[in-house]
Amino acid sequence: MIRVRFVSADQTETREVEAAEGAILLDVAQNDGQPLEGTCEGQMACSTCHVIVAPEDFERLPPASEEEEDMLDLAVAATRTSRLACQILLTPELDGLTVRIPPEHRDMQGR
C-alpha cells in the first residue's frame, strides 16, 4: 500500500489514506472525498484535478509531460510544484506523498 497525505486548502486539516500500488492519485482523492473535480475524467483536457505537491516530494515524481504543463498553465493558483492528480501514478517510490488542495479552483460543471 502507498500512503498519501491530503492537506486541505486552508491547511487546517490533513488526512492520510492508503492506496494500492498503480492507483491514480485523482481516483484516490475522489474516493476519499477530496474536492477535486476531474471534469475530463483523466483525459488531460482540463485542470480541475490540480494539486500542489509538497516541495520535498516534488522531485520524486516523474517529470510532467508537455500536455500536462499546458493544462497547468490554465490552473487557478498554480505553483512551481503543481501537478494534475490524474497524471500521478502511485508507485512505491511515492509512499508518503503529500499534496495540498489548491485554495481556488475552476468549477467546470457549474456547481
Side-chain angles (χ1 to χ4, degrees):
M1 295 303 270
I2 312 299
R3 292 171 300 128
V4 178
R5 278 190 262 350
F6 293 105
V7 179
S8 63
D10 62 7
Q11 300 184 38
T12 61
E13 186 178 332
T14 301
R15 287 185 44 84
E16 185 170 301
V17 300
E18 288 188 345
E21 181 178 342
I24 302 294
L25 183 61
L26 174 59
D27 297 334
V28 173
Q30 288 178 332
N31 288 338
D32 187 54
Q34 298 296 325
L36 292 180
E37 195 172 317
T39 302
C40 73
E41 299 179 350
Q43 300 302 307
M44 225 176 356
C46 72
S47 59
T48 61
C49 69
H50 160 232
V51 293
I52 300 168
V53 178
E56 62 273 16
D57 292 335
F58 187 73
E59 296 304 319
R60 295 195 288 153
L61 294 172
S65 67
E66 186 174 329
E67 293 85 2
E68 182 179 358
E69 292 286 351
D70 289 346
M71 285 295 109
L72 286 168
D73 287 343
L74 303 175
V76 176
T79 72
R80 187 187 67 74
T81 63
S82 288
R83 292 295 298 267
L84 297 180
C86 71
Q87 298 302 300
I88 298 176
L89 180 70
L90 296 175
T91 62
E93 295 78 27
L94 296 179
D95 186 45
L97 178 70
T98 299
V99 296
R100 182 166 52 93
I101 305 302
E104 302 175 44
H105 71 282
R106 184 170 288 126
D107 186 345
M108 302 293 278
Q109 294 181 347
R111 286 185 266 158

